[in-house]
Amino acid sequence: FSLGCVLWEVFTGSKALQGCDNLYGHRSACSRLQQLDPSQLPSLVRDAVSRSLAVHPQSRLDAAALRGCPLFHAPAVAALKELDALPSRDPSLAAAFLGNLTSMLDSGADVEYRECFTDRTLLIVVLPSLDACVRAQPKLCAPAAPALLACAARLDARAFRKSIQPILERFLVDAAGPQAVLAVVEHATLLLDRADASWAAKRVVDALARALRDDAGPRLRDAALR
């Protein structure tokens, strides 16, 4: 039951039990459990959480049944676990995972990924993990850039300025390499729309200027000209 309460709050952002300051409040809160709307939950966890929150204990799942919940074995959840371990992964394995992550974050991804990678998940899991990854291994800036920009495409300007701008700072240093700069240049229109004016003038315009230097490759120059 306790795990059901935790999972409900994780996936809906609200508490399953509210007003439990005394016995009367606890009884009232339990009576309202039957009014919870399971459609607020992702389909993979809906049945398990709903049954865990049953008012009568004999109607709840036992531990073995809960471990069989599809959510705990879903590829999207495995991806979240991999994100946690990313900073310590071998660079080649981390780069391969980051390449696959971008498609998982796309708004047109399969419903399983859309339900798992909500905007809230991007803010509290994906972006901090990408930040830790490029801090620990700066060479991963290039493969991480498309995933970071996929987050930028889904979040509003306020979230972008608070959570993504600081990470992009590390993508735009000389050590980040041309591929990271290319990703920024190719998404310049998006970044100019989301970023604050001073940051855009300093960072995005600088990236465009770097792309037009004589020693920049033809793909980088063409992207900047577009």
Side-chain angles (χ1 to χ4, degrees):
F1 181 81
S2 297
L3 181 57
C5 290
V6 171
L7 289 173
W8 179 273
E9 186 169 353
V10 165
F11 287 109
T12 70
S14 62
K15 295 183 181 296
L17 285 176
Q18 301 188 49
C20 299
D21 298 332
N22 52 53
L23 181 59
Y24 177 77
H26 182 76
R27 287 174 174 171
S28 298
C30 287
S31 68
R32 291 194 297 271
L33 286 174
Q34 298 178 7
Q35 301 172 19
L36 295 176
D37 180 9
S39 66
Q40 297 181 60
L41 296 165
S43 58
L44 288 172
V45 74
R46 191 173 298 151
D47 180 66
V49 174
S50 297
R51 292 177 63 189
S52 296
L53 292 176
V55 174
H56 301 291
Q58 62 269 27
S59 300
R60 298 172 193 157
L61 293 177
D62 58 23
L66 190 58
R67 285 197 298 271
C69 173
L71 177 77
F72 301 135
H73 308 281
V77 175
L80 290 174
K81 293 179 182 178
E82 182 64 22
L83 273 168
D84 282 340
L86 208 55
S88 60
R89 283 283 186 262
D90 177 88
S92 60
L93 296 176
F97 170 78
L98 289 168
N100 294 326
L101 179 63
T102 304
S103 61
M104 300 179 201
L105 301 177
D106 189 90
S107 57
D110 290 345
V111 63
E112 173 190 328
Y113 292 105
R114 295 200 306 273
E115 288 184 338
C116 187
F117 290 105
T118 62
D119 290 354
R120 185 164 177 257
T121 305
L122 298 186
L123 290 170
I124 66 176
V125 179
V126 177
L127 289 174
S129 296
L130 290 175
D131 189 25
C133 174
V134 297
R135 283 177 183 272
Q137 304 190 54
K139 291 183 179 180
L140 290 175
C141 280
L148 183 65
L149 292 165
C151 294
R154 289 181 45 187
L155 298 174
D156 61 21
R158 181 180 179 182
F160 176 91
R161 294 169 186 178
K162 180 180 179 180
S163 302
I164 298 180
Q165 274 186 197
I167 305 175
L168 279 171
E169 289 286 333
R170 282 180 285 285
F171 286 63
L172 296 173
V173 298
D174 290 333
Q179 290 301 315
V181 176
L182 174 63
V184 171
V185 169
E186 288 182 332
H187 293 79
T189 302
L190 169 67
L191 299 181
L192 290 170
D193 178 65
R194 296 288 198 276
D196 63 64
S198 60
W199 188 88
K202 180 181 178 182
R203 294 303 186 189
V204 180
V205 174
D206 178 68
L208 291 169
R210 289 171 61 183
L212 294 171
R213 293 188 311 202
D214 291 339
D215 58 347
R219 184 180 175 189
L220 199 52
R221 285 197 300 271
D222 290 345
L225 291 170
R226 287 197 299 273

